Structure formats: C-alpha cells, structure tokens
Amino acid sequence: MTANTIVSIGTGLPSPVRFGNALPLSVIAGPCQMESRDHALEMAFALKEISESLGIGLVFKTSFDKANRTSVKAQRGMGLAAALPVFAEIREATGLPVLTDVHEAAQCAAIAEVVDVLQIPAFLCRQTDLLVAAAKTGRVVNVKKGQFLAPWDMVNVAAKITESGNPNVMLTERGASFGYNTLISDMRALPIMAQSTGAPVIFDATHSVQQPGGKGSSSGGQREFVPVLARAAVAVGVAGVFIETHEDPDSAPSDGPNMVPLRAFPALIAELQGFDRLAKAKAQPTLAYV
C-alpha cells in the first residue's frame, strides 16, 4: 500500500481539511500545551474565526502531555484522562478537526476516539510499535521527522504506517540537529520527502526555530525567524505549515520562545497564502536536475 497523495481530515465535520502537496496551503495550529479546558476552547474558536476569514483549512493542535521536556520540573499539561473530554468538546463546539501527540502505543486507541490526527513526536518517529498502533486506529497519522534523520530515511517510517493498512500519513519537517542547542532547516528535505514517499509534507515553522535545552532547564527559541523559514518552505512547495501560537507566548508553560503571538498569526498566514499561490502557479518542484 502506498501513501495517499491527498489526505482528508475531519470528513463529516463542518470544517474538514485536505492536505496535498499540490493543493492550496492548509494549516495545523494551536497552543503547544493544553493548559485548561477554557484556554483550549478560547484558542480553538479564535483560530476558527481567523481561518474562516482567510479561507484556509485549519486543524487545531494542542498536546495533553509534553513528555519530552528539558527538566523534570517542567509543566507537562493536563494529562490524558482530563484532556479526552476537552478534545471531544473542541471538535463538537468548533467543527474543527483536532490533532494531538501520542507517546505510547497504549494511548492510541483512546485518543483516536476524540481526535482526527495522531501525531508522532520527532524523537519517537522510529518507534515501530507506536507507529503501528497509531496506524491501526484508522486515523490520519502525522509523523515528525527526527532531528537525527535524513529526509530519505522517512521512506521506511512512512512504510511502517502504510504497510499496517493505513495510507493516510503525513510527514513533517522540523529541522535537523546542528551542533549544540541548535537546529537548521534544509529546504531540500521538503521535495525529497514528497517525491520519495508521495505523502503530503508539512513544515513545522515554530519547532524549527527552537533551541533545544538552550536556556539550561528549558528550551529557547527565536520566534522572529518563524516567518523567514515559513516563507522559504512555502515557496518551495508544501501541503501545509505547522505553527504553534498563543495569546501570550512569554507566559506560556512550554515552548513560549518559539510560538507566534496570536495577534501576529492572521497576517503571517495571509502572507504565506500569497507565497503558496505563486509557488503552485507552476509545476511542483522536481529533482530532475540531480
């Protein structure tokens, strides 16, 4: 079985979204961490309003557990049991499809009941049992490419999902390790993953500017470079962008330094839509010159 070139998310919801490398740009966005029911709903409704005003498909993202933290003292989120009804309420109240991370194979079935996309964190992208369990739920699976992998290595990662009977896989680029506390984005990875797997490719603009462990007991980030990298990726040609956003990033419990302030989100997305139209007005980039 091969990966679907177009992945439909939230079919049956009022606001379904399609991701495809040749389709108009779609977005995955939301706060890094689910801080509370009220905050998650507030952010979801705000992003729904923005997406409707811009005419862009949006999948709401938030994490019930930030398991990969720099310090044991870091805030991790609401936890699985508390988050499950909130995910269900977000889908029901807003009509938006919902995405969240999974960390263990045993979590997949329960989470798949209330979200539309199971996301595999970068550090877990080669964990076969986790990938297979996510695939067998029948939900869309979005896999973040490990900072330690080459883009062509994602062929085997995608195959673990498709060979488990699920063609609905997306792959996300989030930078590669480059020395200490630094990531670098190689834009060649985007067409390489698209052409080698056939799957829709997403660019994670906010985690690509993260500085892992850069603040000692927490990660740093350079949010001022989110627009720079996002424009570059969309100009190359991608199915979507992943952007974490928050109304007050500097007060957020996790990943604040690399999140986009909510007030800046609409203008950034509008700008990216312009770049996307230009990039897709001609044929998709190929590797014909290699």
Side-chain angles (χ1 to χ4, degrees):
M1 181 179 288
T2 58
N4 285 340
T5 57
I6 295 175
V7 171
S8 298
I9 300 175
T11 302
L13 288 174
S15 302
V17 183
R18 296 204 307 160
F19 287 85
N21 295 321
L23 295 181
L25 190 73
S26 292
V27 181
I28 299 169
C32 175
Q33 187 178 128
M34 184 183 283
E35 301 172 26
S36 69
R37 168 190 173 275
D38 290 348
H39 183 259
L41 283 164
E42 180 182 345
M43 290 294 299
F45 275 112
L47 289 168
K48 175 182 173 66
E49 182 178 348
I50 292 167
S51 68
E52 289 178 345
S53 69
L54 295 174
I56 191 168
L58 184 139
V59 175
F60 180 73
K61 177 271 167 188
T62 193
S63 299
F64 65 88
D65 180 16
K66 302 302 295 182
N68 176 31
R69 298 290 86 192
T70 303
S71 169
V72 71
K73 297 179 181 179
Q75 296 184 53
R76 291 182 50 170
M78 291 175 59
L80 178 59
L84 289 176
V86 180
F87 285 130
E89 185 175 2
I90 290 169
R91 291 181 81 247
E92 177 67 23
T94 68
L96 292 174
V98 174
L99 172 153
T100 197
D101 303 287
V102 290
H103 308 282
E104 302 172 12
Q107 297 173 338
C108 293
I111 295 172
E113 294 292 326
V114 293
V115 307
D116 304 274
V117 185
L118 303 184
Q119 181 166 276
I120 309 299
F123 281 118
L124 300 177
C125 70
R126 287 177 40 136
Q127 295 296 105
T128 301
D129 290 346
L130 179 59
L131 291 166
V132 171
K136 288 185 174 179
T137 67
R139 292 299 195 182
V140 175
V141 182
N142 181 39
V143 188
K144 290 197 173 184
K145 179 177 75 64
Q147 300 92 323
F148 45 86
L149 290 183
W152 43 86
D153 292 331
M154 294 302 285
V155 171
N156 293 319
V157 172
K160 290 181 181 182
I161 296 168
T162 59
E163 291 179 17
S164 297
N166 189 340
N168 292 309
V169 55
M170 305 194 302
L171 304 176
T172 295
E173 169 63 39
R174 57 141 304 158
S177 296
F178 186 75
Y180 298 129
N181 306 125
T182 304
L183 300 172
I184 189 167
S185 295
D186 180 357
M187 295 301 167
R188 297 175 300 175
L190 303 171
I192 290 172
M193 287 196 294
Q195 293 180 35
S196 61
T197 68
V201 172
I202 314 298
F203 181 71
D204 183 343
T206 44
H207 287 100
S208 291
V209 302
Q210 188 183 60
Q211 296 170 315
K215 298 179 72 174
S217 61
S218 64
S219 292
Q222 295 176 298
R223 74 169 70 103
E224 65 269 25
F225 291 118
V226 169
V228 176
L229 294 183
R231 287 194 298 263
V234 173
V236 169
V238 289
V241 289
F242 178 110
I243 298 177
E244 288 188 336
T245 183
H246 193 282
E247 81 284 353
D248 184 12
D250 292 332
S251 298
S254 59
D255 281 2
N258 47 270
M259 280 199 283
V260 171
L262 184 62
R263 64 183 179 276
F265 186 82
L268 173 58
I269 297 303
E271 182 180 33
L272 296 180
Q273 287 179 291
F275 274 78
D276 184 64
R277 286 189 289 269
L278 287 172
K280 293 173 182 173
K282 57 182 180 178
Q284 286 291 293
T286 69
L287 303 182
Y289 299 111
V290 175

